[in-house]
Amino acid sequence: MNRAPMKSSYRNRIALNFTLGTGLLVALIFLLIYYIVSATVFNRLEKDLGYELDKHFYEVGVRQGQPYFADKAEWLEREHSELEINPVFVVLTNLSGNVIDKSPNLKNDSLKLHFSSADQAVFKTTLRGLTIAQVQLTIQANNRPAGYIVVAMPIDESEGVLFNLKVVLLIAFPAVLAILFVFTRYIAGRSIQPVLTVIETASKISNDNMESRIPVPAVRDELHLLVTTLNELMTRVEHAIEREKRFTADASHELRTPLAVIKGTLEVLIRKPRSADEYVEKISYCITEMDRINHLVDQLLLLTRFESQQEAMDMRAVDLSELTGNVLARHQQQIVEKNLSVDLETDGSHFVYSDPYMTDIMLDNIISNAVKYSPGPAGMTIRIETSGEKTCYTVSDQGIGIDPDDISRIRDAFYRSAPLSHPEVKGSGLGLSIVSRMCEMLGVDFNIHSQLGKGTRVTLSFPILR
């Protein structure tokens, strides 16, 4: 079997879709991590700047309308005299932004006052090419502004930490996706291995190998259900193919004889001129054989339709007494010709739950067999009675009977008991096979009792209508 190349395998699609979905989630997590770390760092920085601003604000006084450090000697003794790892820069300015005083660690540099910035608002700027965080506050004297105090701290290390974190996350993101794709593809490949087994087994099934079935997984999951359903489908297909083969074989076998007879009769008829009576006789014989072929084909088609007939059954109340009367009317001519007596024993209507069309076929086959195999004059009894939860329909005849060895095979299609012993009785051997199959579909018990040379009794037990 040639297979078209797959553009994208199923496991690759599973891995890709899972990786994309998980990648989106990982990206959101990484962004959240970066945001939390960034917020934590800068919140801490703002607190430190606020603390330094408050501390130095209360050390500032106002003299002659200008701010100054009230105790500069003590202030110079603190950490501002040296450049520390995280130094704090402080500047006092007048209202114009001119520097009045500053911390020694600024040396020749100074902090620039930003008039557009609000009091105690932290913002970024630069000093000596480094990034710093700066905050400023207006100094009041007698409810009037006298100057500004500006406090700043370097944030290069904090930004370095955030930059390193960003680099790590950006490198880790594609690495995580790649690892996730490879791992998911491996797991998907392991997961779909049973599916590949199903495909391999199914590809081996053909018309000559219909008995093969897909191994059912031990775990009762969706795959177990799929395999079970496929096996059931294959069983139905196998049965359908077997019915087709059987129908073809049976039809060819059964039709070959009457067609050969018709052909031989016509060939003999045209060999030389015949009288009108001979033409009528031979053509009538051929018509009879054609009727036999037509009846045989109808029965064969009916037999092959049974598998799909289950869903099309029209189950409802059926009166067996009424159907029996209709069947007897159809066979009245044969009954009269054979001088048969029919004893119909019933105490009125007997309604059963069944399909009327199929029930009519069953009764017709049973009664026609009783008429066909009863030599005249003889008697035939049809009894209908209700017992318990069943309605028993019995047809008894005084015909030729059935050999006990043939009873077990009489329901097989095309089987006839000792056909050479009564060549005058024509038949195809399909009647009881049809009855047996219909009984299975309708839930009717079908029993045959017979004695050779004494007659046959056929009983159908129907569920009664409630």
Side-chain angles (χ1 to χ4, degrees), residues 3 194-204 214:
R3 298 179 183 174
V195 178
L196 299 179
T197 303
V198 170
I199 296 173
E200 181 181 359
T201 306
S203 65
K204 296 178 181 178
I214 302 170

Side-chain angles (χ1 to χ4, degrees), residues 65-117:
Q66 297 289 330
Y68 72 101
F69 287 108
D71 193 354
K72 188 172 183 178
E74 181 181 350
W75 180 60
L76 291 175
E77 293 177 359
R78 294 200 299 239
E79 71 274 16
H80 307 292
S81 59
E82 298 179 359
L83 185 61
E84 301 174 352
I85 297 177
N86 291 311
V88 178
F89 307 113
V90 183
V91 171
L92 286 178
T93 71
N94 57 20
L95 294 176
S96 299
N98 297 322
V99 176
I100 298 175
D101 204 349
K102 62 181 180 179
S103 58
N105 54 10
L106 284 171
K107 298 183 179 180
N108 298 327
D109 299 309
S110 182
L111 301 177
K112 295 181 180 180
L113 182 67
H114 290 253
F115 293 99
S116 60
S117 179

Side-chain angles (χ1 to χ4, degrees), residues 3 28-30 34 50 58 71 363 397 406 423:
R3 298 179 183 174
L28 292 175
I29 293 175
F30 281 7
Y34 183 81
Y58 291 108
D71 193 354
L363 301 188
D397 63 60
D406 295 336

Side-chain angles (χ1 to χ4, degrees), residues 252-267:
S252 61
H253 172 73
E254 293 300 321
L255 294 176
R256 186 179 296 113
T257 300
L259 288 175
V261 170
I262 293 173
K263 180 182 178 183
T265 302
L266 294 176
E267 287 176 346

